[in-house]
Amino acid sequence: MTDTRVVTATAGPEPARRSRWRTWPLLSAPIAWLVFVVVHRVLSGRVWWWQVPELVPPFAFAVLPVLLLAVALAARTARGWIAAVTLASLVLGGGATGLNLASLWHRPPPAPPGAITVFSWNTLYWDMIVGGETMPPPTGAPARDIDAFYRYLHEQKADVYLLQEYVYFGRDSKAIRVDDTARLRREFPGYHIAVASEMVTVSRFPIVLERGIDLRPWLSEERDRAIPPDPGLPGFSAVKTLRTDIRVGGTGGNGENMISFYNTHINSPVHAFPQGPDPRRLNRTQYERRLANLRALAADIDKNPNPTVLAGDFNASPATGIMRLLPERLVDATPALESLYPTSWDDRWPLWRIDWAFTTPDVTVHRYGLVRSDGLSDHSGQHLVVSTTG
């Protein structure tokens, strides 16, 4: 009798090992990105050296998880883990994406009679032109057409203009005072003008109070109290916000018809020259000044009972944690924008949003738009229509 044996083949460890080798590369990228997002949330705005990762365009926090999810859908192994890790990074980093999801449903109320039009704009060194004693504009910027510059301002039809970089720079990269008051009065007859450092506010309504906000009392360490002198423009390094209290109606000057406008230009995380977001020029001194400016601004707003509009160039993208230093009671005007991914810089190749507008709850934003500058600046302007509940 023949002994017949049935031999059953069993899978060895080799296929399992090959499966693991295929899984880890697919899973390592989502894990690495999740770790980066968590570290970013912890460190952004809290340590000076994290300013380098903050230069990443905010849309990366949305685009990269979408690409990783696409990989997860195509993967045959660990698909659920990859999707879970990627979705976690998308949720944690959602506030840094710069996406204005509110634009899909938010509809601002119509502007009532007497609503105020506000225009905020970083002018790129005012009307500075190539040649003479002034420094040429940054690489790629055309020579300034001064008449076009003022035409652009008139096109905004604003009641209040909050303008930054009212300054020239010499060839030694030192700030030089601008005095364009005569032309401003010709171009805007009957308007009121306030100037502090490199900010100028031009208002159709009477300016009752004007004050530059000094950052020096808010510098956190003694070694950072040495603000370099600015003989060409005193206060240039110490004052980066101009507050103006403007009477917009009536004659009593009470809180119901007084609005405070804060015209701000928070320090750049990099030195001004040469131009561009060069990480090699990031340093702790710039970071400390940014913190001091925002703290000084927040302290003034917290003590101010007036309805308030804050707008300007914050040199901070949606991915920049330093913006958490703003008072919690301020309301971001972004939902009134119609763009899903609003950007304001660089105006030629817009990737970042670094110009912002905020109000206190007693101010309603009826319209808000970012206005391209047609080559006159590297920033888009911010155009708002607001009213007070009073």
Side-chain angles (χ1 to χ4, degrees), residues 4 20 24 44 57 72 78 89 114 125 155 160 183 187-188 198 226 267 285 305 315 327 336-337 350 372:
T4 303
R20 285 196 297 270
W24 277 110
S44 180
S89 67
Y125 313 130
E155 287 169 0
V160 179
R183 176 144 191 182
E187 297 284 346
F188 298 97
E198 48 134 326
N267 309 65
T285 300
N315 275 305
L337 288 169
R372 298 300 181 217

Short mmCIF file of all heavy atoms in Angstrom, two decimals, residues 4 20 24 44 57 72 78 89 114 125 155 160 183 187-188 198 226 267 285 305 315 327 336-337 350 372:
data_model
loop_
_atom_site.label_atom_id
_atom_site.label_comp_id
_atom_site.label_asym_id
_atom_site.label_seq_id
_atom_site.Cartn_x
_atom_site.Cartn_y
_atom_site.Cartn_z
N THR A 4 0.49 7.89 0.97
CA THR A 4 0.33 9.17 0.27
C THR A 4 0.22 10.30 1.29
O THR A 4 -0.63 10.26 2.18
CB THR A 4 -0.94 9.18 -0.60
OG1 THR A 4 -0.85 8.09 -1.51
CG2 THR A 4 -1.07 10.50 -1.35
N ARG A 20 6.12 45.00 4.99
CA ARG A 20 6.49 46.05 5.93
C ARG A 20 7.42 47.07 5.27
O ARG A 20 7.32 48.27 5.53
CB ARG A 20 7.15 45.42 7.17
CG ARG A 20 6.17 44.74 8.10
CD ARG A 20 6.80 44.49 9.47
NE ARG A 20 7.94 43.58 9.38
CZ ARG A 20 7.84 42.27 9.48
NH1 ARG A 20 6.65 41.70 9.66
NH2 ARG A 20 8.91 41.51 9.42
N TRP A 24 6.35 51.21 5.40
CA TRP A 24 7.00 52.26 6.17
C TRP A 24 7.32 53.51 5.36
O TRP A 24 7.10 54.63 5.83
CB TRP A 24 8.26 51.72 6.85
CG TRP A 24 7.93 51.03 8.13
CD1 TRP A 24 8.01 49.69 8.39
CD2 TRP A 24 7.42 51.63 9.31
NE1 TRP A 24 7.58 49.41 9.66
CE2 TRP A 24 7.22 50.59 10.26
CE3 TRP A 24 7.10 52.93 9.68
CZ2 TRP A 24 6.72 50.83 11.53
CZ3 TRP A 24 6.61 53.18 10.95
CH2 TRP A 24 6.42 52.14 11.87
N SER A 44 5.83 78.23 17.01
CA SER A 44 5.63 79.43 16.19
C SER A 44 5.20 80.62 17.04
O SER A 44 4.24 80.54 17.82
CB SER A 44 4.56 79.17 15.12
OG SER A 44 4.36 80.32 14.32
N PRO A 57 5.03 79.18 2.44
CA PRO A 57 3.70 79.68 2.05
C PRO A 57 2.60 78.90 2.76
O PRO A 57 2.64 77.66 2.82
CB PRO A 57 3.67 79.43 0.53
CG PRO A 57 5.11 79.43 0.12
CD PRO A 57 5.85 78.82 1.28
N ALA A 72 -2.40 57.87 0.05
CA ALA A 72 -3.10 56.89 0.88
C ALA A 72 -4.15 56.13 0.07
O ALA A 72 -4.31 54.92 0.21
CB ALA A 72 -3.75 57.58 2.07
N ALA A 78 -1.66 49.76 4.71
CA ALA A 78 -1.72 50.82 5.72
C ALA A 78 -2.52 52.03 5.26
O ALA A 78 -2.26 53.15 5.69
CB ALA A 78 -0.31 51.25 6.13
N SER A 89 -2.97 65.85 10.73
CA SER A 89 -2.12 67.01 10.41
C SER A 89 -2.92 68.12 9.75
O SER A 89 -2.66 69.30 9.97
CB SER A 89 -0.97 66.58 9.49
OG SER A 89 -1.43 66.19 8.21
N GLY A 114 -23.81 106.77 5.61
CA GLY A 114 -22.80 107.27 6.52
C GLY A 114 -21.70 106.28 6.83
O GLY A 114 -20.83 106.57 7.67
N TYR A 125 7.88 102.53 0.03
CA TYR A 125 8.74 103.71 0.11
C TYR A 125 8.15 104.92 -0.62
O TYR A 125 8.83 105.63 -1.35
CB TYR A 125 10.15 103.40 -0.38
CG TYR A 125 10.70 102.13 0.22
CD1 TYR A 125 11.27 101.15 -0.58
CD2 TYR A 125 10.60 101.89 1.58
CE1 TYR A 125 11.73 99.97 -0.03
CE2 TYR A 125 11.07 100.71 2.14
CZ TYR A 125 11.63 99.76 1.33
OH TYR A 125 12.08 98.59 1.88
N GLU A 155 -8.49 106.58 -6.72
CA GLU A 155 -9.41 105.54 -7.19
C GLU A 155 -10.06 104.79 -6.04
O GLU A 155 -11.13 104.21 -6.20
CB GLU A 155 -8.67 104.56 -8.10
CG GLU A 155 -8.33 105.13 -9.47
CD GLU A 155 -7.37 104.23 -10.23
OE1 GLU A 155 -6.97 103.16 -9.68
OE2 GLU A 155 -6.99 104.58 -11.37
N VAL A 160 -10.81 107.49 4.91
CA VAL A 160 -9.62 107.41 5.76
C VAL A 160 -8.58 106.54 5.05
O VAL A 160 -8.88 105.41 4.65
CB VAL A 160 -9.95 106.81 7.14
CG1 VAL A 160 -8.69 106.72 8.00
CG2 VAL A 160 -11.02 107.63 7.85
N ARG A 183 1.82 118.29 -1.29
CA ARG A 183 1.07 117.63 -2.36
C ARG A 183 -0.13 116.87 -1.79
O ARG A 183 -1.19 116.83 -2.44
CB ARG A 183 1.98 116.67 -3.13
CG ARG A 183 1.21 115.88 -4.18
CD ARG A 183 1.95 115.60 -5.43
NE ARG A 183 1.07 115.08 -6.47
CZ ARG A 183 1.47 114.71 -7.67
NH1 ARG A 183 2.76 114.82 -8.01
NH2 ARG A 183 0.62 114.24 -8.55
N GLU A 187 -3.81 117.24 -3.22
CA GLU A 187 -4.55 116.08 -3.74
C GLU A 187 -5.81 115.79 -2.94
O GLU A 187 -6.80 115.31 -3.48
CB GLU A 187 -3.64 114.85 -3.74
CG GLU A 187 -2.41 114.94 -4.64
CD GLU A 187 -2.75 114.78 -6.10
OE1 GLU A 187 -3.88 114.33 -6.41
OE2 GLU A 187 -1.89 115.09 -6.96
N PHE A 188 -5.76 116.08 -1.63
CA PHE A 188 -6.90 115.78 -0.75
C PHE A 188 -7.29 117.05 0.02
O PHE A 188 -7.09 117.13 1.25
CB PHE A 188 -6.54 114.65 0.22
CG PHE A 188 -6.21 113.34 -0.46
CD1 PHE A 188 -4.89 112.98 -0.71
CD2 PHE A 188 -7.22 112.49 -0.86
CE1 PHE A 188 -4.58 111.79 -1.33
CE2 PHE A 188 -6.93 111.29 -1.50
CZ PHE A 188 -5.60 110.94 -1.74
N GLU A 198 7.02 106.22 9.99
CA GLU A 198 6.82 105.95 8.57
C GLU A 198 5.36 105.73 8.22
O GLU A 198 5.04 105.21 7.16
CB GLU A 198 7.64 104.72 8.15
CG GLU A 198 7.47 103.53 9.10
CD GLU A 198 7.23 102.22 8.39
OE1 GLU A 198 6.60 102.22 7.33
OE2 GLU A 198 7.68 101.20 8.93
N ALA A 226 18.46 98.88 23.23
CA ALA A 226 19.28 99.79 22.43
C ALA A 226 18.71 99.84 21.01
O ALA A 226 19.06 99.02 20.16
CB ALA A 226 20.73 99.32 22.41
N ASN A 267 7.40 95.13 12.39
CA ASN A 267 8.72 94.85 11.83
C ASN A 267 8.74 93.56 11.03
O ASN A 267 8.11 92.57 11.39
CB ASN A 267 9.75 94.72 12.97
CG ASN A 267 9.71 95.88 13.92
OD1 ASN A 267 8.72 96.08 14.62
ND2 ASN A 267 10.77 96.65 13.96
N THR A 285 17.04 89.90 17.31
CA THR A 285 16.69 91.31 17.52
C THR A 285 15.42 91.67 16.79
O THR A 285 14.51 92.31 17.35
CB THR A 285 17.84 92.22 17.06
OG1 THR A 285 19.01 91.90 17.82
CG2 THR A 285 17.49 93.68 17.27
N PRO A 305 -11.49 102.67 24.95
CA PRO A 305 -12.91 102.35 24.93
C PRO A 305 -13.59 102.64 23.59
O PRO A 305 -14.75 102.26 23.41
CB PRO A 305 -13.47 103.28 26.02
CG PRO A 305 -12.57 104.48 25.98
CD PRO A 305 -11.20 103.96 25.65
N ASN A 315 3.50 91.89 8.39
CA ASN A 315 4.63 91.02 8.08
C ASN A 315 4.47 89.64 8.73
O ASN A 315 5.42 89.05 9.23
CB ASN A 315 5.95 91.66 8.51
CG ASN A 315 6.50 92.61 7.45
OD1 ASN A 315 6.69 92.22 6.30
ND2 ASN A 315 6.71 93.86 7.84
N PRO A 327 -5.09 91.44 20.85
CA PRO A 327 -6.16 91.25 21.83
C PRO A 327 -7.24 90.29 21.32
O PRO A 327 -7.62 90.33 20.14
CB PRO A 327 -6.73 92.67 22.01
CG PRO A 327 -5.62 93.58 21.59
CD PRO A 327 -4.87 92.86 20.51
N ALA A 336 -15.18 88.66 5.50
CA ALA A 336 -15.86 89.54 4.53
C ALA A 336 -15.18 89.52 3.16
O ALA A 336 -15.75 90.03 2.19
CB ALA A 336 -15.91 90.96 5.07
N LEU A 337 -13.97 88.95 3.07
CA LEU A 337 -13.31 88.82 1.77
C LEU A 337 -14.01 87.74 0.95
O LEU A 337 -14.45 86.72 1.47
CB LEU A 337 -11.84 88.44 1.95
CG LEU A 337 -10.90 89.53 2.48
CD1 LEU A 337 -9.55 88.93 2.85
CD2 LEU A 337 -10.70 90.61 1.42
N PRO A 350 1.61 86.67 -5.93
CA PRO A 350 1.06 86.58 -4.57
C PRO A 350 0.98 85.14 -4.06
O PRO A 350 0.31 84.29 -4.63
CB PRO A 350 -0.33 87.20 -4.73
CG PRO A 350 -0.67 87.03 -6.18
CD PRO A 350 0.62 87.11 -6.92
N ARG A 372 -5.16 95.01 -6.00
CA ARG A 372 -3.82 94.93 -6.60
C ARG A 372 -3.32 96.33 -6.93
O ARG A 372 -4.09 97.23 -7.31
CB ARG A 372 -3.84 94.07 -7.86
CG ARG A 372 -4.25 92.62 -7.60
CD ARG A 372 -3.32 91.92 -6.66
NE ARG A 372 -3.71 90.53 -6.43
CZ ARG A 372 -3.61 89.90 -5.28
NH1 ARG A 372 -3.14 90.55 -4.23
NH2 ARG A 372 -3.97 88.65 -5.16
#
